[in-house]
Amino acid sequence: MTDELPKFPFPHPPSPRPPARFAEITGEPELPRVVLSNGASALLVSRYAEVRAVLSDDRFSRASFAGRPMFARSSGSLALATSDPPVHSRRRQAVAAEFTARRARETEPQLRQLAADCAARLRTLPQPADLVEEFTVPFALRTSTEQLGLPYDDALRLRPAMAVMMSFGLHTPDEVAAAHAEMHGYFAALVSQRLNEAADGRPNDDLITRLLTGKGSDRLSHEEVAVFGSGLLMAGFDTTSRQLAMTVLTVLRDPALTARLREQPEALTPALEEVLRWSSLIGTGGAAHVALEDVRLGDVLIPAGEVVVPLTAAANQDATVFAEPDRFDPERKDNPHVAFGHGRHYCLGAPLARLQLDLGMTALLAEFPVLRLAVHEDEVRWTTGQFIRGPLTLPVRWDGGGWPGAAQPAAHSAGNRAGDRAEAASGCPWSPGPTRGTE
């Protein structure tokens, strides 16, 4: 029976946009059934209200599906993402104070300088330069290493293992096991080192040390701290790096928007929120949940034991919530997107991620009076087979050369590029459409 079902995840177009099928199923009365990459059958939840319901209802369990992960991370390597209350509640409470909006604001001066330094370094490189490897990766990775208190060079050495663990369908079981062993071994050793330093009266001022030496019944075990540190390094740097690259791509393709953001810095915040809503970051579509009992979801009764996958990128295209959802509107006023999730699994690092996107874009706009893609947008290469998706490379120039951006963000001209053909096949052209006030 599953052989006849559509396979999920659906392929993404070579652009920031979600698969075209997402918008289609959001308007369908039934929940479509698919077969997941691990062979399990599941129902897709795409409408905004129902996605939020799944993400906030304790009758839907992530832990019950954790033994059948959809990407190469084992359930044991995910401290928060695949756990349910009360385990999830205890773990999240133990680390919540480190990820508040106030804590993010406290780091702003250091991160602003770091972003400026990364942008200044980019300017010293030969053109074209890869904005991903030379700006978004070092900015996001250094943010994570400084937060965790580990050497940047160590994180660079761990990048191949992280890439394996964040993949799906690309590596053998032995390669996945080796990557897990390398990551866990490194962070287990780091935990031991930090414990010894604290015992000797010379504790470090970093997140790992604070979690190890914290007080209260909710504190994490030493093993949990190692798992959390490993997961934070992977998720914290990979998601922010890829999302920042997608943001740069979306902004640079619209010269009028780029000019307005330079002239009106206050316009950056709504533009960033719109990029978060409009783009699709999760390559696997969403986290699978299992209904623990019969649950009514809208007009559909979900029986106990059924697997459902809430699609946040589809919910962000729901026309009942977002006017003209296909249109990229950097001035959108009412934008309650769920790009960071919802409910108990709302992204812990959302305040820091928003700050990094803001400071990263601000630094680039300040450092480069002119910044353009060195290739046409259709020639940008995208990650494949990764849990987090985004531009694999983003070659840029700042000498006035390169692709000046779409004259009107609407359409491609020739239709004969590989990207054009791929988008036509996916049924999901990614052009944002004219933006308000920038025609």
Side-chain angles (χ1 to χ4, degrees):
M1 176 180 174
T2 56
D3 291 342
E4 301 173 0
L5 295 174
K7 296 186 183 302
F8 189 84
F10 301 140
H12 278 76
S15 80
R17 297 292 284 146
R21 184 75 177 113
F22 280 14
E24 296 169 3
I25 63 178
T26 301
E28 295 173 359
E30 301 296 324
L31 301 182
R33 185 172 293 280
V34 296
V35 59
L36 304 180
S37 57
N38 57 17
S41 169
L43 297 175
L44 300 183
V45 181
S46 60
R47 288 183 284 275
Y48 183 86
E50 293 162 11
V51 166
R52 284 167 54 100
V54 172
L55 294 175
S56 59
D57 193 328
D58 286 348
R59 293 174 296 176
F60 290 102
S61 165
R62 287 192 181 185
S64 297
F65 191 82
R68 299 171 287 169
M70 289 179 65
F71 66 114
R73 293 284 298 278
S74 68
S75 58
S77 72
L78 294 161
L80 293 176
T82 59
S83 60
D84 293 333
V87 173
H88 177 272
S89 304
R90 178 185 64 80
R91 289 174 176 174
R92 189 171 179 111
Q93 181 61 34
V95 301
E98 297 286 343
F99 293 92
T100 62
R102 177 181 178 181
R103 174 76 77 172
R105 288 194 297 271
E106 289 172 351
T107 67
E108 181 173 344
Q110 297 94 325
L111 293 186
R112 186 179 297 278
Q113 185 61 55
L114 175 59
D117 290 345
C118 288
R121 178 187 171 278
L122 177 64
R123 179 184 279 281
T124 68
L125 301 177
Q127 301 180 63
D130 179 9
L131 191 107
V132 172
E133 285 300 314
E134 304 297 348
F135 181 80
T136 72
V137 166
F139 175 51
L141 191 57
R142 286 190 183 277
T143 299
S144 293
T145 56
E146 291 183 11
Q147 182 183 37
L148 290 166
L150 57 95
Y152 183 71
D153 286 347
D154 286 5
L156 290 178
R157 285 193 293 271
L158 290 170
R159 278 189 72 189
M162 288 190 275
V164 172
M165 293 178 70
M166 296 292 280
S167 69
F168 61 92
L170 296 181
H171 299 279
T172 67
D174 287 345
E175 290 171 332
V176 171
H180 276 80
E182 182 178 0
M183 286 293 292
H184 185 269
Y186 178 87
F187 277 90
L190 183 65
V191 164
S192 295
Q193 179 183 338
R194 293 292 181 260
L195 285 170
N196 291 334
E197 291 166 348
D200 292 342
R202 47 185 182 87
N204 269 33
D205 183 20
D206 59 61
L207 176 59
I208 296 291
T209 301
R210 290 194 294 272
L211 293 179
L212 289 170
T213 58
K215 308 298 182 183
S217 58
D218 290 335
R219 64 183 295 183
L220 300 181
S221 69
H222 297 171
E223 172 69 13
E224 286 174 323
V225 172
V227 170
F228 182 77
S230 170
L232 182 62
L233 178 62
M234 280 185 276
F237 118 77
D238 202 27
T239 54
T240 304
S241 171
R242 298 299 177 193
Q243 185 67 70
L244 180 53
M246 281 201 284
T247 301
V248 174
L249 175 60
T250 304
V251 170
L252 292 188
R253 72 178 313 278
D254 184 350
L257 174 60
T258 306
R260 185 157 63 85
L261 294 180
R262 284 196 176 93
E263 297 165 1
Q264 304 172 26
E266 69 278 5
L268 183 57
T269 295
L272 291 177
E273 292 300 317
E274 179 69 343
V275 173
L276 289 167
R277 180 199 70 84
W278 186 77
S279 60
S280 179
L281 184 66
I282 306 301
T284 57
H289 294 63
V290 178
L292 300 179
E293 59 184 80
D294 292 354
V295 183
R296 183 163 291 281
L297 203 58
D299 296 328
V300 178
L301 181 64
I302 308 296
E306 182 69 86
V307 179
V308 299
V309 181
L311 308 176
T312 53
N316 287 337
Q317 315 300 314
D318 191 332
T320 66
V321 178
F322 303 98
E324 299 181 272
D326 291 340
R327 191 161 93 91
F328 178 79
D329 179 5
E331 298 180 61
R332 191 178 293 271
K333 297 295 190 293
D334 186 17
N335 197 352
H337 64 75
V338 287
F340 288 114
H342 178 69
R344 62 183 177 275
H345 287 290
Y346 182 81
C347 177
L348 194 65
L352 180 60
R354 281 187 163 102
L355 179 62
Q356 288 177 276
L357 294 176
D358 185 299
L359 296 180
M361 284 301 305
T362 297
L364 289 173
L365 292 170
E367 181 69 31
F368 298 99
V370 175
L371 187 63
R372 294 176 175 176
L373 292 182
V375 298
H376 191 281
E377 62 185 275
D378 294 335
E379 297 170 21
V380 171
R381 294 188 298 137
W382 288 77
T383 57
T384 57
Q386 293 294 130
F387 177 64
I388 301 298
R389 61 182 299 272
L392 184 63
T393 61
L394 205 59
V396 294
R397 303 190 69 93
W398 49 91
D399 59 2
W403 183 60
Q408 292 191 353
H412 306 289
S413 55
N416 61 354
R417 292 184 173 87
D420 292 330
R421 293 194 297 271
E423 288 181 15
S426 75
C428 188
W430 81 275
S431 300
T435 54
R436 294 178 185 171
T438 61
E439 296 177 357

